[in-house]
Amino acid sequence: MPPMKSEDTTGPVYWRSLEELQRTPEFREAVKREFPNDAWDQLPPATRRQFLKVMGASLAMAGLTACRWPKEEIVPFAHRPEGRTPGVPERFATSMEMDGVALGMVVTSYDGRPIKAEGNELHPDSLGALSAIAQADVLQLYDPDRSRRLLLREGGQQYVKQWSDFEASAVEDFGGDGTGLAVLTERSSSPTRSLVRDRFLDTYPKASWHEYEPISRDNEREGTRLVFGRPLRVHPKLDAVGVVACFDADPLFDHPSSLRLAREFAGARHPESGAGARLYVAESSFSLTGVRADHRVAIASSRVPVVLARVAHLLVAEHHIELPAAAAGYAGEAGQTLSGEETRFAEHLASDLANFQGGGAILVGHQQQPAVHALAAVLNQVLGSTVEYTADPDPDRPTHLQAINDLVAAMRAGSVQTLLILGGNPVYNAPADLRFGELLGEVPVSIHLSLYDDETSQRCTWHLPRAHGLESWGDGRAWDGTWTTRQPLIAPLYDGRSALEVLALAAGMEHTTGYELVRDNLGGRFRVLDFDTVWRRALHNGVVGGFAWETVSPRLSPGRLAVAVDGLRALLDAAPPTSERLELVLTADSRVWDGRFANNGWLQEVPDALTKVTWDNALLISPGTARDLGIDDGEMVVIEAGEASIEAPAFVLPGQARGSVSLALGYGRTAAGQVGNDVGVNAYTLRTTAAPHVISGAKLRGTGRKYALATTQDHFAIDTLGFEERNLRVGTLVREASLDAYLANPEVFHEHEHHPPLISLWKDQAYEGEQWGMAIDLNTCIGCNACVVACQAENNIPVVGREQVLNQREMQWIRIDRYFKTEPGLRSDEIDDAEVVFQPMTCVQCENAPCEQVCPVAATQHTTDGLNAMVYNRCVGTRYCSNNCPFKVRRFNFFNYHKDLADTTMMQFNPEVTVRARGVMEKCTFCTQRIEAVRIGARNDNRPIADGEIVPACAQTCPTQAITFGNLNDPESKVSKLHEEKRSYATLAELNIRPRTQYLGRLKNRADGGGDVGHGAPHGEADGRGKETA
Amino acid sequence: MSEAAIDSVSYLDNTGDDPAVRARLVVGDNDFHSVTEKVCGIVEQPRPPKMWWVAFAAASSLTLVLFACIGYLVTTGVGVWGLQVPVGWGYAIVNFVFWVGIGHAGTLISAILFLLRQRWRTSINRFAEAMTIFAVVCAGIFPGIHVGRIWFAYWLFPIPNQMSMWPNFRSPLLWDVFAVGTYATVSLLFWYMGMIPDLASIRDRAKTKLRFYIYGVLSLGWRSSNRHWHRFEFAYLLLAALATPLVLSVHSVVSFDFAVSIMPGWHTTIFPPYFVAGAIFSGFAMVVTLIIPTRKYFGLEEIITARHLENMSKIMLATGMMVGLAYSTEFFIAWYSGNTYEAFTFLNRAFGPYAWAYWTMVTCNVLVPQIFWARKLRNNTVVLWVASILINVGMWFERFVIVVSSLSRDYLPTSWGYYRPTAIDVLTFLGSFGLFFTLFLLFVRFLPMIGMAEVKGVMPQAHLDRPGHRGHGDYHGDIAGVEVV
Amino acid sequence: MNEDKSNDIFIFPRWSWVLRPAVAVGALGGALYATIVVTFGFSPRATDVGYAPVQPVPYSHAVHVGQLGMDCRYCHTGVEQTAHALIPPSQTCMNCHKSVRSNSEKLIPVFESYSTGMPVEWIRVHDLPDYVYFNHSAHVRRGVGCVSCHGRIDTMEVVSQQEPLSMGWCLDCHRNPERHLRPVEYVFQLDWVPEEDQLALGARLRETNDINPPQDCNTCHR
Amino acid sequence: MSTDRGHTSGGLYGYLAEFDKVDELLVAATKVRDAGYTRWDAHTPFVIHGLDAAMGVKKTVLPYIVFLVGLTGTAAGILLQWWTNAIDYPFLISGKPLFSLPANIPVAFETTILFAAISALVGMLALNGLPRLSHPLFTNRSFKRATDDRFFISIEASDPLFDANATRELLESVSDQPVEEIEELT
């Protein structure tokens, strides 16, 4: 479906109630349970909230009753809103804001229930894609653990309050000129909010304002300040067909516009169109970017400046690049000895940078010191890189660490009487050495607005329920400044209010509803007669044109550069880490980010891209270091950093830098909710203002206790036999070749296929009409898990929990297979470094599907359009099909996984997909519900289905567009063309199962032309192994 | 007389292989009546001995455990077992194949040995047939309960329905339904039919009205008429002729469940003969395991003689070596085929995570039977009994290795796994033994556990009292000779 | 030995073998009877057809459609575009009933709904399992008349289920739709009868409109 | 003469002679056969080879019945599979044809065996006129040993050659035990 069909998205119409509401007695019960404080019978006439709750949950229940049908009621509108056809999904453009950057999305709403978030093609940071985290935001909306009421905590007592109570008490709390009044808030780019903030600070001139984010790009910002004399926002570009060097940087994951960057990255990697960029990565722990690197060197984070400095040195010394006088200091011999690996990396990179001047870029990770960013900025300047700059939206803002430091100082001084905390969770995520929690207890009046009654709320006097992003009005700015609107898709389920509204209330503004605030603010910018049209268009598109910031071409400011150079020198002198004095790197988690999504089942169960660990964070340690310290995979270890120490399970990860261990933040929550409580360990307890990201001198001690990490793939460490076999198979399953080899011989991906001719016993079936197929480009897949969550959201896939995952019963229909590629001949206990390849694996819809023939009740059959259909309501659950599936992509409902689901959570269900009962097999069917929807529509107006009209959830959300779906019988369709490409191959084709999904081989573009040629050599090995067998 | 010659060897030992004389199949000085006495006596004793009660109490309580587990399973979901992806079949299917295998001895002994004119079968066939039926009952439970939605299991049968749907006859599981169903029915018929004359004996000896009526109805008014015997014999022969291919087909079909799939380690053409051999192997082992204590306890050594045991041990030796051959063939083919997946599967069996199961299997099934080469050992009932139990263990592990180790590591290394049974798995398995023994104990208590009519048929007295004809079975009715007398 | 001193001998009474045919007949008859009961008694045609619940408002299709000749689509607005035919909002009723019968007792629920905004709770008559995805537009646009599934609604005082709506019943029509195809313009004309032979007409329509109803599982199950 | 209770004496059913050796029975049987009796029978606790010949029992038709019913089973099996999977409810599976014999052999085979086996038992009973719980012979006490260790020959009064004295003499001539009269049940 093309995004944003409904032209007539007017303000207050869309969230009105739905057509058919099957209301059952059980459901009334459910409502009472869910919403104790309002009795069904005394419903105020058609209040939106009641209605939404009712219809949403009820529909979901309808989805669940899969047996003989009970007496059902049909409850139509009393007044059906104009332009509204009940039962037909609608799509609305809105946005979500994280760390002060708004990400545009289009949310599908079914009869008033937002059920799925997709990317907004018009938004520069989305381009139609959405990250796993952003998609999972929908589930958070319905989270039954979200706080439902205002709480006042006084003298150990806890009172339930109403907003009116708060408004009343707020009057005195926010009295006078704001002396003793402090505000701590999340970073926000919302123009409306800055307006309201100004109004607030006007009202309370003495009030202090602090913005804190645990994870931010402040270092980069400060780096630019050092180089250019003013903070700038850095806009990397990856679409250049040149060379990109990432130093601890992961632009494909942790950058606010990672989705755009991923799209650019993929664009630069299509050999058929001559695009072949080269990616260098030097990092301490495997990142999504690192996985895709052509040259990767695993070095401790504290070595990054050293290597970068060497690159600078080489550029000047070997390649005669002129540094400006002020930066001359960089040119000097770095005085550090580099390992052979590091040197080779530096040399290759230096010469490539020199060759690709104007077509390259050096990116540095946000956890690196400003001085390192500074050096990168200088080099980018002199090399004329593709990096662009815009002015920082808020140049006077102190860094987040500074901000919270100031606040804590004030709290210590006792000068804070009233502390208003808008969002965030400082008690949990403020640097440990600040002891924020304790100090908070001493503040007379502390108010926390939050989705959950979380760690911070529990230490505040007031807790205010916050409206979810999909429940509230707002706006924000994309990374490039594009004005992004946010509109609610559902009235607040839990009586929450947005930060905007609360702030406006505190500021004593006359208009305090989000709708008015946002509309007025935008209206203020447009001096046009017909603002209404502008407004509608803005809501419809989700973005307002012409508001992106101008790029600036800054000049080096000599004054500060000196500081930068000295800063760098200091870093260079640091001793490299060893197994005894380890370096501990605290990273943002690929799933719960900084911990705010800890209570989100989808994200908790998404396997981490590299470790495949779910429901936990683990201490990543390189095999070498593990051997030095005698630590086993999965052993509980004690990490000592400074005076703090915690216990965490160790995960041995090849490709992790020696002497560097890393641990993800965001776990070990104590007040996250039923899902997120006590999952993993809390790394924030090790985090200090001095060393927020990279802690040196950490010690590691094994405890000998084992801990079972719930991974969806077996660990790297398995028995030798399996290890060797796995190495043999990787090459044939995930085919890879060097770009040079491929260009020289396009057949390289098929060279090693030899199996007897694939003849069928029977006459082949004639497949006429549409024949659906898929192509997945392994060269552009970055393993970001977006498709996994998209599929989960679209297909009502249950979350099963850690215990079940431990027992290999995870339910996601797509899994991203991760293989380590190590030098042949090495034993598993000799490995230290490794390359990683990803392969998204879901049902490939075999034409000769082994699963179909063995089902005794014909519950899985082949449809005339070539799908391997799975009929849930016919399945008796023999599991024979799963046994006989060579890809093991079928999933089984071992229990009734929906039994304990809250009614609100059920509201997320997609009514177009059956909710599977216990004892039933399920799997991917190329989103058959989407196919049917389009097919019926096309047939209704007697037209053929256009290529690209049907888009499965996974393909829709893929940031790199690695997944292509379409009609294989149409030679013009994109998918047919991709299947024609030389890189295209079918996995396990030798079984003559004829998969409908084909993979496009992966390419490596190394400077030395190296990289494996073809897909490794399993046969020679096989024969050798054959002898062994004899 | 040659009879003396035999007896002089020893009173009970009839294992001698003197080609000059046909060894006696009933030893001691038994006449028809004493046989009747011995066999019917067991059924007729007013109350069963203590040991029986003890055994029955144990067995029936295990049966309760079985039903408890099934109840829990049905109400909670198959997740209570250790199953997962990739290993979608675990204990349930292993037990199914195990029990079906055991269920082969009975029909085999009654049918094939009958066709081969192996007269020594007469003392043990009833017993073995009973065992077959009970084993099949146990086997039948597992495919039934292992499905995710038991309440829809009837969809496996071709019943007309409002969905206008039919089961998929291309699925081996459906073949199973028919094969096992047929096998159960035919075994039951065979067993019952053979019992009719003996039930009549009990009827005719009845001391109480109730007993008379019960056995009277069961024996359908059999009046040992020779015109009836004539048809009876024919029917028996026909059933034997039908049951023989059937017994071979059943385990072949069971093996198709695996052979027809594409899983390395399953997709093998030698499975049918391999499975059948294994079935006979395990079946005989189970017969021996049961018969040794029973015959001792009920004093039937004169009817179920040392020779019977010895013959069975020889069959076990033979089939055990067939199974061993199958194991090695699999390995050879895995290498010879050049199919790397196949090759790995077998390496993995022997040296992978499930090596322990594999080597248990090899030890019990291939090495243990080798002791039967030694006459001394195979004629020592204790040794024989222990060996037979080990063989049962080994055969269970064979099925475990085939089902679990093949599934646990198939094509994509990313979906490899390791299957661990849960307590419920184990209890259900033990429970099935409870059910088996409960039925068995009821059988020895209430039904003639030895085919008297057949045993009498092979006793010397059953034939013309004429030198040279002593103990000689076949009479080919040369009535002319009689007329002369 | 069986020489029991009691000179009593057990035998079965003579009539016991007269019983033989009786038992045989009984067994066979019983089996037959059971089959019949299950086949006909449990079929949706017996269990579901004729379901006619009492509605909160005694709305009569007979009056509105039969006598007043209202078109189905006046109320069931979605039927040509979407999966659901749609039950009309109280609003729709009020379009006329503002003036017509504006003080009728029977209409009170509608009036209340209209004023309070709370819905009228109609009771679903044609109810498919939740795992079945039926699409009205797909059928109506191809010339499958309302009457084929719903019967002569225009004659019903109280709507009742006319067809079993079972999978087998659906498949019958999907396999040979000729019996139910009519020119699209007559789809909503419940009393329409073809001048020519229905089968001939159906075959022709099927040809011209190229109608091949899919029989794949995923046509109805997703 | 029978002192049995449980029935009132009706007409004469026939004579019953007892033997305790197989040889005697065989000899007696040949005699009775040669005497030309038709409605008579021998009763033995187990099958005695040669007795059929001695009695001149004709070979039973059972095998033909079983064969025919077996064929019916085969046909039924094939037809069932063909009609259900290829005609009434055809569906596409793993690119295989709707009907191909190899896949249908196992089920057809099983149905064959099933039908045949059932017909074997049922046929045997039917031909033997069983079950028949009550029979005049059961009224005789010593006849009970027919299932234990004694052999009997019974000649029915309904036999055309039956003659109260001649028949009795014939039997007494072959059996050393007293010939007993069996009375018809009423």
Side-chain angles (χ1 to χ4, degrees), chain A residues 1007-1029:
Chain A
D1008 47 22
D1012 352 61
V1013 179
H1015 60 272
H1019 7 274
E1021 295 285 30
D1023 303 344
R1025 199 248 320 276
K1027 285 183 203 70
E1028 216 174 306
T1029 327

Side-chain angles (χ1 to χ4, degrees), chain B residues 33 36 166 225-226 229 231 465, chain D residues 23 41-42 44 88 128 148:
Chain B
H33 184 64
T36 320
W166 295 105
S225 144
N226 190 57
W229 274 122
R231 301 196 186 88
D465 212 343
Chain D
D23 322 42
D41 205 341
T44 63
D88 186 48
N128 287 348
D148 180 3

Side-chain angles (χ1 to χ4, degrees), chain A residues 8 195 238 316 421 485 512 526 605 639 641 670 672 735 800 880 1014:
Chain A
D8 57 326
L195 173 125
L238 297 189
V316 176
I421 308 173
T485 60
T512 58
F526 283 91
E605 200 147 298
I639 316 143
T670 54
R735 302 190 186 170
V800 295
Y880 199 174

Side-chain angles (χ1 to χ4, degrees), chain A residues 66 712-714 718-719 721-723 725-726 729-730 732-733 804 807-810 815 817-819 839 841 850 852-859 861 871-880 882-896 917-920 987-988 990-991 993 1018-1019 1022-1023 1025-1030, chain B residues 73-90 92 146-153 155-156 161 163 165-175 256-258 260-263 266 331 334-335 338 340-345 347-349 351-353 407 409-420 422:
Chain A
T712 57
Q713 261 178 246
D714 50 8
I718 61 172
D719 61 295
L721 191 74
F723 173 80
E725 182 65 18
R726 196 169 51 186
R729 290 188 191 178
V730 181
T732 29
L733 297 174
Q804 294 296 302
N807 204 352
Q808 293 178 282
R809 293 173 179 176
E810 67 272 9
R815 59 171 203 269
D817 285 351
R818 175 266 288 131
Y819 297 92
Q839 181 178 41
M841 184 53 73
E852 292 171 350
Q853 157 201 3
V854 296
C855 176
V857 294
Q861 305 183 358
V871 194
Y872 309 124
N873 42 300
R874 174 67 175 178
C875 177
V876 296
T878 65
R879 301 179 299 288
Y880 199 174
S882 170
N883 289 348
N884 208 26
C885 172
F887 302 97
K888 291 287 175 285
V889 288
R890 290 174 159 267
R891 298 283 173 257
F892 189 70
N893 291 271
F894 285 95
F895 294 108
N896 176 359
R918 178 191 121 200
V920 167
T987 323
L988 297 183
E990 61 267 37
L991 298 176
I993 49 180
H1019 7 274
D1023 303 344
R1025 199 248 320 276
K1027 285 183 203 70
E1028 216 174 306
T1029 327
Chain B
L73 175 83
V74 175
T75 51
T76 320
V78 284
V80 301
W81 290 342
L83 301 171
Q84 24 107 316
V85 179
V87 185
W89 284 355
H146 99 290
V147 299
R149 301 201 290 175
I150 295 160
W151 45 97
F152 285 136
W155 282 348
L156 268 74
N161 55 61
M163 299 174 289
M165 284 189 80
W166 295 105
N168 170 18
F169 281 98
R170 284 159 282 192
S171 163
L173 273 191
L174 212 65
W175 308 346
F256 288 161
D257 289 347
F258 308 103
V260 168
S261 84
I262 62 164
M263 286 297 111
W266 279 13
F331 261 87
W335 163 73
T340 56
Y341 299 110
E342 192 78 8
F344 172 70
T345 303
L347 280 181
N348 186 52
R349 275 186 191 174
F351 308 110
L407 283 177
R409 289 186 165 181
D410 63 344
Y411 292 95
L412 298 194
T414 47
S415 54
W416 285 354
Y418 189 84
Y419 163 87
R420 279 180 202 75
T422 62

